[in-house]
Amino acid sequence: MEKKKLVLIGNGMAGIRTIEEILKLLPEEFEITVFGKEPYPNYNRIQLSKVLQGDTEIKDITLNEWDWYEENNIRLYPGETVTKIDKDIQTVYTDKGKETPYDYLIIATGSNPFMLPLPGADKEGVTAFRDIEDCEKMIHASKNYKRAAVIGGGLLGLEAARGLLNLGMEVDVIHIADYLMERQLDRSAGKLLQEELEAQGMNFLLEKQTAEILGKKRVTGLRFNDGGKIPADLVVMAVGIKPNVQLAKDTGLEINRGIVVNDHMETNVPNIYAVGECAEHNGMVYGLVAPLYEQGQALAKHICGMNHQGYKGSVLSTQLKVSGVNVFSTGLINETDQTKSIKVFDEWRNTYKKILVEDDKLAGAVLFGDTKEGTKLLSLIKKGANVEEYLESSQSQDDNESIVVSMGDEEVICGCNGVTKGTIVNAIKTQNLTSVEEVKGCTNASRSCGTCKSLVADLLTHTLGDEYEADEKETVCACTDLSRDEVIAEIKEKHLTHSREVMNVLGWKTEEGCSKCKPALNYYLGMVYPKEHEDERESRFVNERLHANIQKDGTYSVVPRMYGGVTNAEDLRTIADVAEKYDVGMIKLTGGQRIDLLGIKKEDLPSVWKDLGMPSGYAYGKTLRTVKTCVGAEFCRFGTQDSTGMGIKLEKKFEGLNTPHKVKMGVSACPRNCAEGGIKDVGVIGLDGVWEVYVGGNGGTDLRKADLLAKVKTEDEVLEYTAAFLQYYRENARYLERTSHFVERVGLELIQEVVFNDELRQELCKRMDDALSVYKEPWNEVLESETTLRDLYEKVHAK
Amino acid sequence: MEQTVKKVFVGKYSELPERLGKTVILEDKEIAVFKLANGDVRAIENRCPHRGGVLAEGMVSGEHVFCPLHDWKINVTDGLVQAPDEGCVQTFEIMKEDEQVYVLVPSEITQS
């Protein structure tokens, strides 16, 4: 039997999901052809903002790889646009001259960004934010320009703004309403979101309507209809989307706002269907992923001839992460005369919850900050639950227990893909799944927006019990089955203050540990009890024990401290004299702008230090190594800030700090970034009137560009944010985990959430001060202790 | 074949640092002397068979020392390198006379 020809116009999320559903039902039935105007396979448009931020590649947000099309025998024509449909002979025509007949045609052309028809909207530097090409345009602009204006304070606009901030631009968001995301949030939540985003560096101009885009060839600014103006080198229009219906219209399909479809997603022309953002069902055009997927499912069943009640419309809910802040809303958002509301505003944790009740039934909800209850509220609202049912279920909720435990099997965990708890649990059990990734692969849960990942993880734990934890756990070393977190928890709970005590009490499998756990425990103990724990020299690697760098021949290198890489004639003379006196093998400038004296015998170390009379440069430790600086405003004609001064302050403050791994810093005085802060653990860039603090860069084994943590105004704030970041790293990283891996693992957003919280930041800074208070200059300490000199530096010469 | 043994003075027992090594320099070689956590004293050749690292500076755990250069694990009692690496180092006997600790070094092996 000849296969039926199925043609899909639009290679996006809704269309491809429909194809996936069809393949699930009848894998061999159709000969499938897909046309997509973008030159990419189906990607996750929701995560476009990640591409904009520059650290995610297209392949990371790709949902269906090229292979997938091939494996399923789908003919894909990327970068090819369908220009005409002949509904009579059932054939489509493309801009590349292709003719393809169909038995079934699915139109999933999505939507186009709505571009305000403003004077000047055609200028260079004006863009939408809709596809990968737009992202590339914006990334390119960020390299050459500084000021961006985003028109639209809805979700899309805010994501664009966040991306542009990350790209180092200054961002104004212009919004017509008096609070943000007014379609998804109420005023209270909108204002909370605004405060949060302002703290991250966004600037808002509310109740402003743009009248004109200024500039000659390229945009230079915006004028509002109240006469006000702002400068801008890049304008992003993110005011909304409109269904892309041109082709359907030309074909003579019935169009209202979108392509009008019935419950089976059929248009008014036989064998032509529409699905996704371009379709209008029962007067509604949906722009969120969950309804689009529900439509796709309904359409697939219909095309495959399954008996199905069809699509009945969706209860809208939004569960989003805007710039690291979780927000959720569903159903009714604003109070009416008929509603009563339950409101909880927790100023301490900065969370807000509002539940609207109409005729004793749950009618809507808005959550800000903590959205764990979102899935539960959505399913209660969907089934029209009584408010009492909700109140009872939240009372019985144990705070420590995940919300998934009390959920029914039919309740939806992944809103985007409509995956229920029952489906996930069943998959975990029958297919022996043990990780979130596997669950994602099998069930699609968490595959789209990713906000339900934590729920999926909870379900794994709940279903598999300890097994799951064991699978995921990374132990400190082979001497124990405990993870870093468990060991630290025990140290705190049982007040353990010595490594040997930790090993005894926690049942170490080896007598005295190994070269992995010994230094790790010593570090953790010092981190938890900075004042109480006595550093254990026998748990230190030789370099840190002897305060010099061992070389391959058993000699050592000495690097004197040279704050900020700044020195003077007298110090240089002293160093030269010492080098001659001890006949050093090589004098070398280090990567961190210091002088390294190599080939010094262990026995000579103390006298070298004494002759130098300088503090240890700590070139050997898991600690702050160096702060590399550029010349700065004092001399450089480009410098805008005193980078050397800032570098010296940083180095003086943090020298000798014990950290999980080495920490390198760089301070530059202009965006040329001569001190290479982009590949440092902490990189500071001084701009006119502002300092940017970058974190998590690495120029070593795993090259990684640092992320912008914060923009601050003063040197004191640079010290404060650096202290908070480093303390958070000290407290949460695994021993020997560099900041680059740490930032990657926990995510910049979480770190920002913590360090931007005034309360938490101050606590971190306080604990940092405690840690720094015990610092003693190590070379001098050695010189003052005869026992240490004898124990560590003297050798025995046989007689 | 005759073998003479040289008795080399290392130091007073109480002055040897616990869980650390001490380097003893002889004319043609170095010996690493360790005072273990249980109070025993051990001596091995101060040279890792891998790349010649100075074992006296290694981290000591139980009766093992970890070479400071590339973390080879060596038993200080029998001189055996632990898996997955292979090899061995020479071991020396320790002699204690009251407080004095000596290492016994076989010197030139002479033909009689």
Side-chain angles (χ1 to χ4, degrees):
Chain A
M1 192 184 82
E2 199 175 306
K3 288 185 178 182
K4 294 206 185 92
K5 296 184 181 65
L6 174 66
V7 173
L8 168 66
I9 306 175
N11 185 26
M13 296 174 77
I16 293 299
R17 173 50 64 94
T18 310
I19 301 290
E20 285 183 337
E21 294 288 339
I22 290 172
L23 290 171
K24 254 194 257 174
L25 299 169
L26 296 173
E28 302 294 334
E29 192 84 0
F30 302 97
E31 182 187 308
I32 301 171
T33 307
V34 178
F35 294 98
K37 76 173 176 202
E38 285 191 77
Y40 304 101
N42 177 33
Y43 64 88
N44 192 337
R45 203 177 295 277
I46 305 172
Q47 296 190 341
L48 209 50
S49 54
K50 292 195 180 164
V51 174
L52 178 59
Q53 288 165 19
D55 51 4
T56 301
E57 288 180 44
I58 294 155
K59 69 171 167 45
D60 298 326
I61 64 163
T62 298
L63 291 171
N64 300 78
E65 305 285 348
W66 300 114
D67 291 355
W68 176 85
Y69 294 89
E70 217 162 277
E71 280 159 19
N72 289 291
N73 292 318
I74 295 169
R75 247 180 290 157
L76 170 67
Y77 297 103
E80 191 157 348
T81 308
V82 173
T83 49
K84 193 183 152 198
I85 302 167
D86 188 328
K87 59 186 184 212
D88 300 323
I89 58 166
Q90 302 210 142
T91 301
V92 302
Y93 303 86
T94 74
D95 59 348
K96 294 191 179 158
K98 207 167 278 117
E99 289 179 27
T100 308
Y102 65 82
D103 296 308
Y104 301 100
L105 177 66
I106 301 174
I107 301 178
T109 45
S111 49
N112 292 324
F114 182 66
M115 299 300 276
L116 294 168
L118 296 171
D122 53 350
K123 286 192 199 311
E124 213 175 273
V126 181
T127 180
F129 177 41
R130 176 69 189 168
D131 56 25
I132 287 172
E133 201 185 328
D134 295 334
C135 286
E136 283 167 352
K137 239 191 267 178
M138 287 152 81
I139 292 169
H140 184 71
S142 75
K143 290 182 181 146
N144 301 302
Y145 301 98
K146 203 66 216 162
R147 297 193 62 106
V150 176
I151 305 179
L155 173 66
L156 207 59
L158 297 179
E159 294 218 312
R162 179 66 243 177
L164 292 168
L165 272 187
N166 282 23
L167 290 171
M169 297 192 82
E170 289 164 30
V171 185
D172 289 320
V173 177
I174 297 99
H175 195 43
I176 197 162
D178 66 339
Y179 66 92
L180 301 175
M181 288 182 65
E182 76 282 0
R183 286 176 61 186
Q184 290 90 12
L185 300 180
D186 67 354
R187 187 178 310 272
S188 307
K191 287 290 171 194
L192 284 172
L193 180 64
Q194 183 182 341
E195 281 169 26
E196 179 65 40
L197 297 179
E198 278 170 348
Q200 293 182 17
M202 272 182 220
N203 185 39
F204 293 100
L205 298 156
L206 299 177
E207 293 180 89
K208 289 272 184 203
Q209 203 170 343
T210 311
E212 187 186 350
I213 296 176
L214 306 170
K216 285 190 178 143
K217 190 161 167 250
R218 188 180 179 91
V219 53
T220 57
L222 295 179
R223 187 173 59 76
F224 306 118
N225 62 359
D226 61 6
K229 285 181 193 171
I230 57 161
D233 317 306
L234 173 72
V235 173
V236 180
M237 282 208 208
V239 288
I241 49 173
K242 53 177 186 199
N244 181 7
V245 297
Q246 196 55 48
L247 179 66
K249 204 173 187 174
D250 296 344
T251 312
L253 303 185
E254 186 190 342
I255 311 286
N256 187 21
R257 271 175 63 216
I259 304 166
V260 178
V261 294
N262 63 15
D263 287 359
H264 298 300
M265 312 313 289
E266 291 170 304
T267 66
N268 60 324
V269 173
N271 297 326
I272 300 186
Y273 305 83
V275 68
E277 285 179 335
C278 64
E280 177 178 331
H281 174 265
N282 208 5
M284 289 291 288
V285 175
Y286 297 93
L288 295 168
V289 68
L292 307 188
Y293 282 179
E294 287 173 29
Q295 293 178 355
Q297 212 164 18
L299 174 55
K301 286 190 173 155
H302 179 73
I303 287 181
C304 293
M306 307 277 158
N307 190 11
H308 185 250
Q309 55 167 356
Y311 176 68
K312 294 291 176 203
S314 300
V315 175
L316 275 186
S317 79
T318 319
Q319 168 129 27
L320 300 164
K321 208 168 194 179
V322 189
S323 236
V325 187
N326 286 309
V327 298
F328 169 89
S329 70
T330 185
L332 265 186
I333 287 162
N334 290 307
E335 288 86 340
T336 65
D337 292 344
Q338 279 80 47
T339 59
K340 287 200 169 79
S341 61
I342 303 170
K343 281 190 202 175
V344 183
F345 174 43
D346 181 341
E347 205 175 347
W348 173 251
R349 293 189 303 149
N350 205 27
T351 60
Y352 167 77
K353 167 164 91 174
K354 180 177 81 179
I355 291 163
L356 290 177
V357 184
E358 203 171 28
D359 299 332
D360 296 340
K361 285 190 175 15
L362 295 178
V366 178
L367 305 175
F368 177 92
D370 178 358
T371 55
K372 283 202 291 285
E373 258 191 296
T375 13
K376 184 168 85 177
L377 281 164
L378 177 61
S379 61
L380 287 172
I381 289 167
K382 265 186 178 172
K383 70 177 183 191
N386 195 286
V387 60
E388 291 301 329
E389 186 181 336
Y390 164 72
L391 290 175
E392 273 167 32
S393 75
S394 35
Q395 244 167 19
S396 62
Q397 186 75 43
D398 180 343
D399 276 353
N400 290 320
E401 195 176 75
S402 167
I403 195 147
V404 297
V405 178
S406 62
M407 284 169 83
D409 274 353
E410 75 295 344
E411 289 193 47
V412 172
I413 297 280
C414 173
C416 292
N417 295 291
V419 188
T420 60
K421 174 181 167 181
T423 310
I424 295 173
V425 171
N426 188 39
I428 292 171
K429 284 183 182 158
T430 57
Q431 303 185 50
N432 301 318
L433 309 182
T434 55
S435 71
V436 176
E437 278 304 306
E438 286 175 11
V439 172
K440 181 164 118 186
C442 273
T443 65
N444 272 336
S446 82
R447 189 168 157 219
S448 300
C449 79
T451 38
C452 63
K453 264 189 190 151
S454 65
L455 294 179
V456 174
D458 287 350
L459 269 181
L460 277 161
T461 318
H462 181 59
T463 313
L464 299 175
D466 295 340
E467 245 174 276
Y468 172 60
E469 280 176 41
D471 279 340
E472 296 284 298
K473 200 159 81 179
E474 195 175 320
T475 64
V476 172
C477 69
C479 302
T480 176
D481 290 332
L482 299 173
S483 69
R484 170 219 180 262
D485 291 349
E486 288 167 327
V487 168
I488 291 180
E490 296 279 354
I491 286 174
K492 287 180 178 164
E493 195 193 312
K494 303 198 162 78
H495 201 96
L496 310 173
T497 56
H498 198 285
S499 311
R500 261 168 292 160
E501 203 182 356
V502 174
M503 292 177 192
N504 279 334
V505 174
L506 304 183
W508 239 241
K509 293 184 231 168
T510 51
E511 203 181 333
E512 284 178 61
C514 68
S515 57
K516 283 197 179 60
C517 59
K518 281 174 72 153
L521 290 180
N522 187 47
Y523 169 76
Y524 295 143
L525 288 164
M527 182 270 287
V528 176
Y529 302 114
K531 296 186 173 169
E532 217 173 316
H533 170 67
E534 206 171 311
D535 197 72
E536 302 158 18
R537 60 184 187 181
E538 71 273 10
S539 297
R540 289 284 192 174
F541 177 62
V542 56
N543 290 356
E544 299 182 317
R545 188 181 337 121
L546 296 184
H547 295 283
N549 271 31
I550 195 164
Q551 305 298 318
K552 64 177 199 174
D553 61 354
T555 64
Y556 293 81
S557 82
V558 168
V559 179
R561 182 64 78 186
M562 201 175 272
Y563 297 99
V566 178
T567 182
N568 57 52
E570 194 190 334
D571 283 355
L572 288 174
R573 208 168 282 128
T574 311
I575 292 170
D577 289 344
V578 167
E580 257 176 11
K581 181 172 170 189
Y582 294 92
D583 196 21
V584 307
M586 175 156 76
I587 307 175
K588 170 94 181 63
L589 299 184
T590 72
Q593 299 181 331
R594 301 304 137 96
I595 293 177
D596 198 355
L597 306 174
L598 291 131
I600 292 174
K601 293 196 206 80
K602 175 165 105 158
E603 312 87 286
D604 286 340
L605 287 172
S607 34
V608 167
W609 298 337
K610 196 168 173 219
D611 289 351
L612 282 171
M614 300 168 194
S616 162
Y618 262 107
Y620 44 80
K622 317 266 180 286
T623 174
L624 171 64
R625 292 287 178 90
T626 56
V627 183
K628 187 174 185 173
T629 65
C630 74
V631 169
E634 216 180 327
F635 285 95
C636 178
R637 67 199 161 104
F638 297 118
T640 53
Q641 296 268 19
D642 177 14
S643 51
T644 50
M646 183 75 251
I648 291 169
K649 278 187 190 150
L650 281 164
E651 193 160 339
K652 289 207 159 153
K653 181 172 169 91
F654 297 111
E655 75 177 314
L657 177 71
N658 282 313
T659 42
H661 209 313
K662 59 187 170 190
V663 171
K664 298 179 177 183
M665 299 192 189
V667 184
S668 299
C670 81
R672 290 171 188 77
N673 206 352
C674 294
E676 296 160 348
I679 50 163
K680 299 290 180 214
D681 296 278
V682 176
V684 178
I685 299 179
L687 306 170
D688 206 6
V690 64
W691 293 95
E692 293 178 337
V693 181
Y694 289 82
V695 297
N698 192 300
T701 327
D702 295 310
L703 201 59
R704 182 179 192 273
K705 189 177 147 197
D707 293 315
L708 179 62
L709 175 77
K711 286 189 187 192
V712 295
K713 297 247 168 359
T714 64
E715 293 191 350
D716 283 345
E717 284 173 305
V718 172
L719 293 170
E720 186 182 335
Y721 279 81
T722 305
F725 168 72
L726 284 180
Q727 183 63 17
Y728 189 68
Y729 165 60
R730 295 183 74 235
E731 290 174 4
N732 294 286
R734 303 182 189 118
Y735 185 67
L736 292 188
E737 183 175 34
R738 285 294 294 266
T739 60
S740 50
H741 289 131
F742 174 70
V743 170
E744 195 93 341
R745 176 168 64 86
V746 307
L748 180 71
E749 286 170 349
L750 175 65
I751 296 170
Q752 284 179 324
E753 225 166 275
V754 173
V755 303
F756 281 112
N757 181 314
D758 293 341
E759 210 79 43
L760 294 176
R761 186 176 64 254
Q762 272 150 31
E763 285 166 17
L764 285 166
C765 288
K766 162 97 199 8
R767 293 198 293 275
M768 171 60 86
D769 288 342
D770 286 345
L772 289 169
S773 71
V774 296
Y775 166 68
K776 291 198 195 93
E777 199 292 302
W779 289 354
N780 201 40
E781 209 184 3
V782 170
L783 291 172
E784 281 177 355
S785 160
E786 275 182 34
T787 334
T788 313
L789 282 170
R790 186 195 65 211
D791 286 356
L792 298 184
Y793 297 92
E794 280 176 13
K795 291 181 178 175
V796 179
H797 290 266
K799 287 182 197 92
Chain B
M1 198 165 100
E2 202 186 355
Q3 186 176 313
T4 56
V5 173
K6 200 175 165 189
K7 196 166 117 186
V8 177
F9 178 63
V10 178
K12 279 167 78 178
Y13 179 78
S14 61
E15 286 180 1
L16 289 179
E18 214 173 86
R19 294 185 183 80
L20 289 173
K22 190 97 207 155
T23 310
V24 179
I25 303 175
L26 282 81
E27 265 169 36
D28 55 344
K29 69 173 94 173
E30 288 189 6
I31 293 173
V33 178
F34 302 95
K35 186 177 178 182
L36 308 182
N38 63 12
D40 288 354
V41 180
R42 297 277 185 266
I44 58 172
E45 184 186 352
N46 191 24
R47 196 186 143 75
C48 179
H50 177 219
R51 293 281 169 86
V54 284
L55 298 172
E57 309 302 344
M59 219 179 285
V60 183
S61 286
E63 59 171 14
H64 294 101
V65 64
F66 293 86
C67 176
L69 290 196
H70 307 95
D71 210 33
W72 277 34
K73 185 180 180 184
I74 295 164
N75 185 308
V76 295
T77 305
D78 59 19
L80 284 179
V81 174
Q82 307 295 298
D85 303 309
E86 289 172 3
C88 69
V89 294
Q90 194 181 351
T91 57
F92 300 92
E93 253 181 78
I94 292 289
M95 199 172 123
K96 241 174 94 181
E97 286 176 357
D98 300 325
E99 259 290 277
Q100 320 290 317
V101 177
Y102 299 90
V103 58
L104 303 181
V105 187
S107 61
E108 290 107 87
I109 300 153
T110 47
Q111 208 76 38
S112 63

